Amino acid sequence: MSDGVVSLTEGLARRVARGAALPLPRWNVPIRDVNGRFLGVVDAWWDEVAFAWEVGTHHFRLGRTEAHHYGRNPHLGAAGVIVLRTPPERLRQDPNGVRKDLVQAFHRAANRVRPPVHALSDRVPATRR
């Protein structure tokens, strides 16, 4: 839990991510746009390319109704964030396929202009606050 992983599903996702040829992500990261507008919390976040990974853990943190809407957050995509969504059962049944999807999505994110979004812990210039 010291790295931000808070559920068994996220622990499995962390294991899958560690097996991919990618930098390690941050876990459970709040994201905002350049104007400070809150866009959502993502399960895993690669800040260098503004890539988010959702592994279906929102039922753990939220009630079923809120989780349904939370997992389909339109604000992230509208802000230019590439979001990969992986159902928890796929993490267990097809970890190699998930790794392949992660690498492909990461490279797609890396090969576009990074959108102006930031993790909440990132410092935003004072003129933009």
Side-chain angles (χ1 to χ4, degrees), residues 15-51:
R15 226 173 303 140
V16 169
R18 283 183 175 166
L22 296 175
L24 295 177
R26 291 175 46 203
W27 296 92
N28 294 299
V29 179
I31 305 300
R32 65 180 172 196
D33 68 14
V34 73
N35 296 315
R37 184 174 65 116
F38 179 73
L39 300 175
V41 177
V42 297
D43 293 327
W45 177 251
W46 286 265
D47 192 61
E48 60 273 25
V49 296
F51 168 47

Side-chain angles (χ1 to χ4, degrees), residues 7-111:
S7 72
L8 292 175
T9 299
E10 287 176 2
L12 180 56
R14 177 179 53 194
R15 226 173 303 140
V16 169
R18 283 183 175 166
L22 296 175
L24 295 177
R26 291 175 46 203
W27 296 92
N28 294 299
V29 179
I31 305 300
R32 65 180 172 196
D33 68 14
V34 73
N35 296 315
R37 184 174 65 116
F38 179 73
L39 300 175
V41 177
V42 297
D43 293 327
W45 177 251
W46 286 265
D47 192 61
E48 60 273 25
V49 296
F51 168 47
W53 187 25
E54 295 291 336
V55 294
T57 61
H58 303 105
H59 293 284
F60 173 78
R61 290 189 293 242
L62 302 170
R64 186 171 274 293
T65 303
E66 295 89 351
H68 174 74
H69 297 292
Y70 185 88
R72 301 182 193 283
N73 183 333
H75 303 296
L76 291 165
V81 173
I82 291 179
V83 181
L84 176 65
R85 291 181 174 85
T86 304
E89 57 275 3
R90 185 150 182 257
L91 287 169
R92 290 185 290 278
Q93 296 169 358
D94 187 19
N96 290 328
V98 172
R99 282 185 194 98
K100 181 180 174 185
D101 292 348
L102 269 176
V103 170
Q104 288 175 346
F106 180 91
H107 288 297
R108 192 174 65 224
N111 289 318

